[in-house]
Amino acid sequence: MRRLSGNAAVFVLSAALVGAIGWLEGTRPGGLSLPRLTAGLVTLDLLIRAGVFTIILVGLNLLMGYAGQVSLGQAAFYGMGAFFSAIFTVKARQVGIPLTLSGAWWWPWVVMGLGAALVGGFAYLIGWVILRLRGHYLAMATLGLGVAVFIILRENLGLSRLDLTGGFDGVVGIPRLRVGTYPLWPLHRYFFLVWSFALAAVALGLNIVDSRLGRALRAIHHSQVAAETLGVNVPRYKAQIFATSAALAALAGSLYAHFQAAVVPATFGFVPSLELVLMSAVGGMASIWGAPLGALAILLLEELLRTRLRLLLPGTGGELEAVAFGLLLILVLLFWPRGLAGRASGPLRRPIPTGGAGQSVRPAGVPRA
């Protein structure tokens, strides 16, 4: 009960903070603004990207931190959602969608939901196959999936005549979202939208952690063999959480597409997948709250090095930024192996069974079928 109350309190505080930031940027009382208060370090653009990454990282933390399934290809699902929205809004006529549908204000919302559902369904089917692998083999399989999706997007889905993904140049001119005649733009309106989805994803993650599915995931993480002997349907639960994480990534991709108004395949390649894993590790894989913390920490660190390092060390180039970034991350992971969430809010974190001698093999509440 105390843990649930703690999560609820942090959730309410987070929602209040989002509301205060949005109000500040929307009204600018006395000329105050977020960049002015933070010396230009924190902007709405950065916070919107942090919100988008938070949605992805909630799914990734459930998959890697709670179920113990490695994924190095999460950016593939992110890209699939982004290009699904881009193609079915910008190039709707080329795929046979009549203008009466594609021109309606609600059409991008339908495409967004449909894209998340289809990507989640695709991941569910793929998950039954590749999640039979473990350890390094599973990592390589998800890496291969990510590379394959990147190449398919770059090569116009193999349909060069239609030019649906735009090849290396991607798709531009993606419309802004709106509700009726009310546009969800400028930035502070989109900030509210993205963080509404991000907080909803956090709430979903917290509910999954405390649900029958969450208990099954922790049992699988502890010992897959032991979970199977206790009656846990391991392949089904792993496929379900894989599909959930993919659907969240696709939803984030759609929000990103309508935010940037353009998408290119390079945004969803191998390096972005590694960055997502890095954010998850820094924030804390075994905590849902590690998702927003990891996204904010990495984006702020990148911005801090980009804007401040050259002031401290004049004449330095981008190479030194990368070196400093790597060193700081090593220090964080070395001294805070549970991530920022484990360091800052241990009592809110659901502990992962460690499998030590003498422990009960079956955690409380693990389903038998």
Side-chain angles (χ1 to χ4, degrees):
M1 179 62 73
R2 183 166 47 189
R3 179 169 52 248
L4 290 176
S5 299
N7 279 326
V10 176
F11 189 88
V12 170
L13 285 175
S14 301
L17 183 61
V18 167
I21 292 174
W23 172 81
L24 176 67
E25 284 296 299
T27 58
R28 300 285 179 100
L32 293 177
S33 67
L34 198 59
R36 191 171 179 180
L37 291 173
T38 59
L41 183 62
V42 180
T43 62
L44 273 189
D45 180 90
L46 182 144
L47 292 180
I48 289 172
R49 286 187 290 127
V52 169
F53 286 133
T54 294
I55 299 171
I56 305 173
L57 293 179
V58 168
L60 195 59
N61 283 7
L62 288 170
L63 181 65
M64 295 182 65
Y66 285 89
Q69 306 303 304
V70 180
S71 176
L72 298 181
Q74 209 67 8
F77 303 122
Y78 180 38
M80 290 168 72
F83 272 93
F84 192 86
S85 282
I87 292 170
F88 281 90
T89 53
V90 177
K91 303 190 177 188
R93 293 185 64 183
Q94 288 178 238
V95 293
I97 306 296
L99 185 60
T100 51
L101 280 180
S102 61
W105 69 267
W106 45 263
W107 177 249
W109 298 96
V110 172
V111 171
M112 187 184 299
L114 188 60
L118 289 176
V119 171
F122 170 75
Y124 187 79
L125 296 177
I126 292 292
W128 277 95
V129 179
I130 65 172
L131 291 176
R132 294 177 181 276
L133 302 171
R134 300 185 191 181
H136 302 305
Y137 298 103
L138 176 58
M140 295 303 294
T142 54
L143 174 63
L145 174 65
V147 172
V149 170
F150 167 70
I151 293 174
I152 290 171
L153 292 176
R154 190 189 64 190
E155 299 299 327
N156 264 308
L157 310 179
L159 304 170
S160 56
R161 186 174 57 84
L162 294 178
D163 191 30
L164 291 177
T165 67
F168 285 96
D169 298 329
V171 180
V172 298
I174 302 168
R176 305 293 184 194
L177 293 172
R178 58 193 170 96
V179 177
T181 59
Y182 184 78
L184 295 175
W185 201 261
L187 277 178
H188 71 277
R189 294 181 186 175
Y190 207 76
F191 167 80
F192 276 126
L193 174 70
V194 168
W195 275 98
S196 296
F197 276 103
L199 290 175
V202 169
L204 174 67
L206 292 173
N207 276 284
I208 287 177
V209 166
D210 286 316
S211 71
R212 178 188 181 92
L213 174 59
R215 293 189 289 273
L217 296 179
R218 288 193 292 278
I220 293 170
H221 189 177
H222 171 68
S223 171
Q224 185 167 314
V225 174
E228 286 175 332
T229 59
L230 290 170
V232 176
N233 190 333
V234 173
R236 189 186 74 185
Y237 282 118
K238 289 201 295 187
Q240 283 180 351
I241 202 62
F242 192 57
T244 302
S245 68
L248 287 173
L251 175 64
S254 293
L255 290 170
Y256 171 82
H258 289 287
F259 169 54
Q260 293 289 345
V263 290
V264 294
T267 309
F268 313 105
F270 169 62
V271 174
S273 281
L274 287 184
E275 288 177 347
L276 290 172
V277 175
L278 183 64
M279 288 179 181
S280 177
V282 169
M285 282 186 184
S287 169
I288 295 301
W289 291 110
L293 288 175
L296 284 168
I298 294 298
L299 291 177
L300 281 173
L301 183 58
E302 289 177 344
E303 185 67 16
L304 187 65
L305 291 174
R306 187 182 67 80
T307 58
R308 301 295 191 273
L309 188 60
R310 295 185 184 183
L311 297 177
L312 297 174
L313 301 171
T316 57
E319 298 82 4
L320 191 58
E321 291 177 21
V323 172
F325 183 74
L327 288 175
L328 288 171
L329 289 178
I330 289 173
L331 290 174
V332 169
L333 295 177
L334 187 62
F335 291 103
W336 296 343
R338 288 166 52 193
L340 298 175
R343 178 74 179 179
S345 57
L348 301 181
R349 174 177 170 270
R350 166 75 73 179
I352 299 292
T354 57
Q359 283 189 318
S360 172
V361 174
R362 179 171 176 260
V366 172
R368 289 190 175 275

